[in-house]
Amino acid sequence: MPEGPSIAILRDEASIFVGKRVSRAEGNAKIDMGRIEGQRVVDWRSFGKQTLIVFDGVYVRVHLLMFGSYLINERKDIAPRLGLTFRNGEIHFYNCSVKLLEGDPADSYDWRVDIMSDQWDEKFVRRKFRAMPEELVCDALLDQDVFAGVGNIIKNEVLYLCKVHPLSLVGDLPARKANEIVAQARAYSFRFLDWKKAHVLRKHWLVHNKGQCPVHQIPLSRGYLGHRKRRSFFCDLCQRRYTTE
DNA sequence: TATAATGTTTGAAC
DNA sequence: AGTTCAAACATTAT
């Protein structure tokens, strides 16, 4: 469920609750439900893979992790982690991480790195990307401080589209190629968004979860690469491994 | 049916 | 003290 674009869809679906008062807050999340009950939703934001439900002076941060889900005006049979009821509907979150945080999220998040944000700042992200030359590119793309919202699917697809081997060091990439990865992370995330909305995401995957390179018709290489040990799918012919030599 | 995965935090062990 | 690693959370598709 949860890479940045999916959380942006959630945010848009939940926008009907902005300005509305929470008439009931429930669930097995270990937070003080009384703190938000009766409060008005000031804003509903996303930052990367996180959902931020903003109230006056306090906000709820929801992270769907790997298996989290949500339903609006519907329910599952299992107990919700968090359920919010409004006069015009309700939303329930399941199997996710929920935290109640004091303050204003604007003080804690920098939307310049959020891959889906209007405030996304290409130059700023380029600079941050360049500042991690010792990282493998497959790890760097999953760094939420640089590419907030990019997940494993986007990582695999972007590296394939840019023809870069996942085990290339960021510092070994030519500047033009590094910039291309930054731009493609952004562009691909919005294609992901459109496909996800249309429920046709999977069929557009070029390498993620695939067996063959769509260009060369040869088996893709796969492995749990980098210090994050996340699945990588890549083509040895298409994707160049940049090295210092 | 067993396996593995769109993710992150925590805390123990080195 | 910095790092590395397993554990924990838990659903669903193949």
Side-chain angles (χ1 to χ4, degrees):
Chain A
M1 179 104 253
E3 294 193 26
S6 302
I7 305 306
I9 291 170
L10 160 58
R11 178 200 59 209
D12 292 344
E13 291 176 347
S15 64
I16 54 169
F17 300 131
V18 173
K20 301 293 188 293
R21 205 173 283 283
V22 175
S23 54
R24 181 168 161 76
E26 60 191 315
N28 55 25
K30 296 190 188 93
I31 63 168
D32 176 10
M33 298 292 174
R35 187 78 178 75
I36 52 174
E37 220 159 36
Q39 300 295 309
R40 198 179 291 280
V41 175
V42 172
D43 203 358
W44 191 297
R45 307 196 66 167
S46 65
F47 177 83
K49 301 167 189 170
Q50 310 188 68
T51 291
L52 309 173
I53 310 166
V54 186
F55 300 91
D56 185 17
V58 66
Y59 62 100
V60 176
R61 189 190 71 191
V62 179
H63 198 307
L64 265 31
L65 300 176
M66 196 81 99
F67 308 125
S69 61
Y70 68 93
L71 285 174
I72 293 173
N73 298 331
E74 283 182 81
R75 299 232 194 164
K76 290 195 171 191
D77 289 332
I78 60 170
R81 185 80 80 241
L82 176 67
L84 299 176
T85 303
F86 303 89
R87 197 173 353 194
N88 64 338
E90 58 179 29
I91 183 165
H92 287 81
F93 293 96
Y94 305 91
N95 308 306
C96 52
S97 158
V98 176
K99 283 209 170 172
L100 189 64
L101 297 158
E102 299 293 332
D104 182 342
D107 298 330
S108 303
Y109 299 93
D110 184 348
W111 273 272
R112 289 180 295 175
V113 300
D114 179 357
I115 204 71
M116 301 306 294
S117 174
D118 291 343
Q119 297 169 54
W120 184 75
D121 184 334
E122 183 162 13
K123 284 184 182 164
F124 184 67
V125 173
R126 283 179 176 181
R127 211 178 313 142
K128 294 200 78 163
F129 189 38
R130 241 184 290 129
M132 47 198 318
E134 300 305 314
E135 289 283 312
L136 294 170
V137 67
C138 62
D139 284 326
L141 270 168
L142 294 174
D143 188 328
Q144 301 299 297
D145 293 329
V146 183
F147 297 100
V150 169
N152 207 37
I153 297 171
I154 296 174
K155 175 202 80 180
N156 282 325
E157 295 295 306
V158 165
L159 288 176
Y160 179 74
L161 290 167
C162 292
K163 304 188 192 303
V164 174
H165 192 291
L167 292 178
S168 303
L169 282 178
V170 173
D172 288 339
L173 298 172
R176 212 179 313 115
K177 189 53 82 173
N179 292 342
E180 183 187 342
I181 288 173
V182 170
Q184 191 61 250
R186 170 82 169 177
Y188 183 79
S189 293
F190 280 87
R191 297 166 75 200
F192 184 123
L193 175 71
D194 290 339
W195 291 328
K196 182 85 185 176
K197 279 182 184 166
H199 305 106
V200 292
L201 178 62
R202 268 157 202 273
K203 79 171 190 194
H204 289 281
W205 288 346
L206 299 174
V207 291
H208 186 81
N209 253 347
K210 308 291 278 190
Q212 277 198 343
C213 170
V215 172
H216 294 98
Q217 316 280 316
I218 60 162
L220 290 169
S221 293
R222 50 171 75 187
Y224 295 84
L225 306 184
H227 69 79
R228 295 173 195 274
K229 294 185 167 50
R230 300 298 303 280
R231 286 201 305 173
S232 283
F233 297 83
F234 55 99
C235 174
D236 291 306
L237 292 182
C238 292
Q239 291 169 260
R240 173 167 168 193
R241 184 167 176 174
Y242 292 88
T243 60
T244 330
E245 273 79 6

